[in-house]
């Protein structure tokens, strides 16, 4: 089913673009939309074919890895797992540290989600300063003090590292930045340290499944509607952190309930 021509989406160098949810600062402007789908591999490959007609691979794409790249995220929670339990004091808010590639750039991030609306805030940080930035003396001139204060105020500490392989597309559709991500081989490992080391050889949490996200600023663009219609996609509520906790960390969560 063809809802839109390729001329409606601007194919462009995505080097200067960021995820739509990063365009709105926390507390200012409209949040972005984030719609998730849980796909099987044939669906994921078909969607990548659609996406490549309208959008460009993002700047981290590695052709030697099939245009994917590794991401490792350090997730935090309270001692009683209030984030996992969606307790009112922290509901919809996650503080995490994310690294792109095996040794690429690293950011501290805050993600605030309300339904399918998302805001993100991030600041870059050299990996060697991570522990000091949170619990010691942060590097001079660092603009991530908001993360340090948020972690301390909420009594957050590292819980796990989640790793996966991402293929991502970026572009402009109907005048706004849009993004599609497909995440495979989601794995996790427990940790209590402020470090973003590789997860290593851990079991895959979603066998044969791919987490896909559509990200857009105002309304779902026609190119996304076309993909949903052509592939018969249905939204699915799936969280890497929650899946890890439910699959691997369940006994500890239950013990602290």
């Amino acid at each position: 089913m063809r809802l839109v021509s390729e001329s409606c989406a601007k194919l462009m160098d995505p080097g200067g673009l960021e995820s739509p949810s990063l365009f709105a600062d926390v507390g200012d402007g409209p949040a972005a939309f984030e719609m998730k789908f849980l796909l099987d591999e044939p669906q994921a490959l078909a969607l990548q074919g659609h996406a490549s007609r309208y959008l460009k691979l993002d700047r981290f794409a590695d052709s030697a890895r099939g245009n994917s790249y590794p991401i490792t995220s350090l997730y935090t929670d309270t001692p009683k797992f209030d984030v996992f339990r969606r307790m009112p004091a922290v509901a919809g808010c996650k503080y995490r540290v994310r690294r792109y590639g095996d040794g690429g750039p690293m950011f501290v991030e805050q993600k605030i989600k309300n339904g399918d609306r998302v805001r993100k805030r991030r600041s870059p940080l050299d990996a060697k300063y991570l522990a000091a930035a949170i619990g010691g003396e942060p590097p001079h001139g660092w603009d991530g003090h908001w993360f340090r204060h948020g972690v301390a105020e909420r009594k957050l500490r590292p819980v796990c590292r989640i790793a996966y392989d991402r293929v991502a597309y970026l572009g402009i559709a109907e005048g706004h930045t849009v993004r599609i991500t497909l995440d495979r081989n989601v794995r996790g490992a427990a940790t209590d340290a402020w470090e973003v080391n590789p997860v290593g050889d851990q079991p895959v949490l979603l066998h044969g499944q791919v987490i896909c996200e559509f990200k857009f600023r105002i309304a779902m663009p026609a190119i996304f509607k076309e993909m949903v219609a052509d592939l018969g996609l249905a939204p699915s509520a799936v969280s890497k952190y929650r899946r890890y906790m439910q699959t691997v960390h369940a006994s500890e969560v239950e013990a602290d309930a």
Side-chain angles (χ1 to χ4, degrees), residues 229-245:
D230 282 359
L231 301 175
L233 304 182
S236 176
V238 58
S239 161
K240 299 180 187 74
Y241 175 61
R242 294 188 65 79
R243 180 59 63 99
Y244 169 79
M245 296 293 286

Side-chain angles (χ1 to χ4, degrees), residues 6 28 50 73 84 91 187 213 235:
E6 292 190 16
D28 182 31
H50 279 254
S73 295
F84 173 77
R187 309 169 311 283
E213 295 184 27

Side-chain angles (χ1 to χ4, degrees), residues 86-139:
R86 296 174 173 153
M87 299 302 288
V90 294
C93 184
K94 291 178 180 175
Y95 282 76
R96 65 192 183 195
V97 184
R98 174 164 291 181
R99 169 174 266 178
Y100 292 83
D102 293 320
M106 191 183 77
F107 301 87
V108 296
E109 296 185 345
Q110 179 195 48
K111 179 179 180 179
I112 301 174
K113 186 171 184 179
N114 183 9
D116 56 3
R117 306 298 297 271
V118 176
R119 301 177 192 271
K120 292 180 184 176
R121 185 180 186 182
R122 62 162 43 168
S123 293
L125 179 64
D126 191 312
K128 65 185 179 182
Y129 296 124
L130 176 57
I134 305 305
E137 184 67 27

Side-chain angles (χ1 to χ4, degrees), residues 1-240:
M1 180 178 181
R2 179 52 58 90
L3 300 175
V4 62
S5 67
E6 292 190 16
S7 62
C8 292
K10 185 179 180 183
L11 286 167
M12 61 181 295
D13 179 0
L17 297 181
E18 293 287 357
S19 178
S21 55
L22 287 169
F23 272 57
D25 192 11
V26 173
D28 182 31
F33 287 90
E34 183 178 277
M35 185 174 293
K36 292 186 178 182
F37 306 89
L38 197 55
L39 312 179
D40 59 27
E41 189 60 32
Q43 285 178 308
L45 292 174
L47 192 145
Q48 286 180 224
H50 279 254
S52 64
R53 294 206 303 267
Y54 304 122
L55 309 172
K56 290 289 189 181
L57 292 162
D58 79 357
R59 59 192 171 117
F60 298 112
D62 184 349
S63 59
R65 302 174 61 109
N67 294 323
S68 72
Y69 54 90
I71 289 180
T72 304
S73 295
L74 176 69
Y75 284 88
T76 67
D77 210 327
T78 69
K80 292 188 176 295
F81 301 100
D82 292 333
V83 176
F84 173 77
R85 295 197 177 104
R86 296 174 173 153
M87 299 302 288
V90 294
C93 184
K94 291 178 180 175
Y95 282 76
R96 65 192 183 195
V97 184
R98 174 164 291 181
R99 169 174 266 178
Y100 292 83
D102 293 320
M106 191 183 77
F107 301 87
V108 296
E109 296 185 345
Q110 179 195 48
K111 179 179 180 179
I112 301 174
K113 186 171 184 179
N114 183 9
D116 56 3
R117 306 298 297 271
V118 176
R119 301 177 192 271
K120 292 180 184 176
R121 185 180 186 182
R122 62 162 43 168
S123 293
L125 179 64
D126 191 312
K128 65 185 179 182
Y129 296 124
L130 176 57
I134 305 305
E137 184 67 27
H140 178 72
W142 184 48
D143 67 354
H145 289 275
W146 58 267
F147 183 87
R148 173 187 171 105
H149 295 157
V151 165
E153 181 180 18
R154 293 164 177 81
K155 298 180 173 58
L156 300 172
R157 87 286 194 235
V159 172
C160 64
R161 301 188 311 279
I162 305 291
Y164 47 94
D165 300 317
R166 168 166 289 184
V167 176
Y169 299 87
L170 273 169
I172 300 292
E174 300 170 19
H176 298 282
T177 304
V178 297
R179 180 171 169 85
I180 295 175
T181 60
L182 299 102
D183 297 336
R184 296 174 169 89
N185 303 319
V186 181
R187 309 169 311 283
T191 187
D192 60 2
W194 286 103
E195 56 187 19
V196 191
N197 294 332
V199 166
D201 187 19
Q202 298 292 332
V204 175
L205 299 176
L206 295 160
H207 292 283
Q209 295 179 301
V210 181
I211 298 175
C212 173
E213 295 184 27
F214 288 178
K215 304 175 185 183
F216 49 96
R217 286 299 311 277
I218 306 298
M220 181 184 285
I223 59 170
F224 285 2
K225 292 178 180 177
E226 177 184 306
M227 295 176 198
V228 169
D230 282 359
L231 301 175
L233 304 182
S236 176
V238 58
S239 161
K240 299 180 187 74

